[in-house]
């Protein structure tokens, strides 16, 4: 909003999480689908004197690998990552906390981002936190993610009646499986 001078409860919650996690010796990945949000977060993180890296689509592949190495070798405690730019191809096994600042429509995209920390070589339990603002469209996005996961689990689950389930789908449910929106 133009000329808004207040704060964001969600960013305040994130900063509180970061402060506590850093004090406890954790390394944190923060994902957002919006680079403008990440840039705002980076300003606050810089003011708080947190050691951090920032990765979005504008970062060259050479610098990207350098930043990954710096993070994994302990030079930074926080890595701010654009969901699309950092969702694949990065090995960030030094992180033990993954924070999704905002939800994405497709849960697989978030899962891929989370998997940057869940890789071969990970020695720690990885805690995944999703910051969802109550009473907003974010709640509806999470509901949609859950329904997509449920449908996929029914189709690809271990149940021997999967074939029966597929035959029981109506036309709209089948179309929803292939809906990319």
């Amino acid at each position: 909003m133009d000329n808004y001078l207040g704060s964001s409860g969600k960013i305040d919650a994130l900063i509180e999480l970061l402060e506590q996690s850093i004090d406890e010796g954790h390394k944190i990945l923060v994902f957002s689908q919006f680079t403008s949000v990440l840039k705002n977060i980076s300003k606050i993180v810089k003011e708080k004197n947190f050691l951090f890296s920032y990765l979005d689509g504008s970062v060259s592949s050479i610098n990207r690998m350098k930043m990954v190495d710096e993070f994994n070798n302990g030079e930074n405690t926080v890595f701010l990552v654009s969901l699309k730019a950092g969702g694949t191809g990065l090995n960030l096994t030094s992180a033990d906390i993954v924070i999704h600042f905002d939800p994405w429509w497709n849960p697989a995209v978030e899962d891929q981002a989370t998997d940057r920390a869940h890789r071969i070589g990970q020695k720690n339990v990885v805690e995944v936190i999703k910051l969802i603002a109550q009473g907003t469209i974010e709640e509806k996005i999470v509901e949609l993610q859950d329904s997509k996961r449920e449908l996929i689990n029914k189709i690809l689950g271990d149940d021997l009646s999967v074939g029966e389930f597929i035959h029981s789908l109506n036309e709209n449910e089948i179309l929803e499986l292939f809906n990319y929106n």
Side-chain angles (χ1 to χ4, degrees), residues 70-132:
E70 289 172 353
F71 181 76
N72 283 332
N73 293 327
E75 294 181 36
N76 296 317
T77 54
V78 177
F79 206 141
L80 305 177
V81 188
S82 161
L83 192 61
K84 290 184 181 174
T88 59
L90 300 178
N91 186 347
L92 297 164
T93 54
S94 68
D96 59 350
I97 295 179
V98 175
I99 300 172
H100 290 279
F101 188 78
D102 38 54
W104 183 240
W105 298 99
N106 184 346
V109 173
E110 285 183 8
D111 292 345
Q112 274 191 320
T114 297
D115 287 346
R116 300 310 94 216
H118 282 289
R119 315 272 293 171
I120 293 173
Q122 178 56 269
K123 295 177 177 79
N124 301 304
V125 173
V126 177
E127 180 179 3
V128 180
I129 301 167
K130 291 184 177 193
L131 295 177
I132 307 299

Side-chain angles (χ1 to χ4, degrees), residues 10-133:
K10 198 166 173 181
I11 288 181
D12 293 345
L14 172 67
I15 297 303
E16 186 177 320
L17 263 171
L18 292 177
E19 288 173 339
Q20 178 182 351
S21 299
I22 291 167
D23 287 346
E24 293 173 357
H26 295 285
K27 296 196 57 164
I28 308 109
L29 301 177
V30 179
F31 287 98
S32 175
Q33 61 178 309
F34 303 108
T35 56
S36 58
V37 169
L38 279 178
K39 287 177 183 168
N40 287 337
I41 292 170
S42 72
K43 289 176 190 172
I44 296 166
V45 167
K46 192 179 290 181
E47 290 171 8
K48 296 281 186 182
N49 293 318
F50 296 155
L51 298 174
F52 75 98
S53 296
Y54 176 94
L55 174 69
D56 65 18
S58 68
V59 176
S60 71
S61 60
I62 291 171
N63 284 338
R64 183 179 298 230
M65 289 303 110
K66 180 181 174 197
M67 291 165 58
V68 167
D69 289 341
E70 289 172 353
F71 181 76
N72 283 332
N73 293 327
E75 294 181 36
N76 296 317
T77 54
V78 177
F79 206 141
L80 305 177
V81 188
S82 161
L83 192 61
K84 290 184 181 174
T88 59
L90 300 178
N91 186 347
L92 297 164
T93 54
S94 68
D96 59 350
I97 295 179
V98 175
I99 300 172
H100 290 279
F101 188 78
D102 38 54
W104 183 240
W105 298 99
N106 184 346
V109 173
E110 285 183 8
D111 292 345
Q112 274 191 320
T114 297
D115 287 346
R116 300 310 94 216
H118 282 289
R119 315 272 293 171
I120 293 173
Q122 178 56 269
K123 295 177 177 79
N124 301 304
V125 173
V126 177
E127 180 179 3
V128 180
I129 301 167
K130 291 184 177 193
L131 295 177
I132 307 299

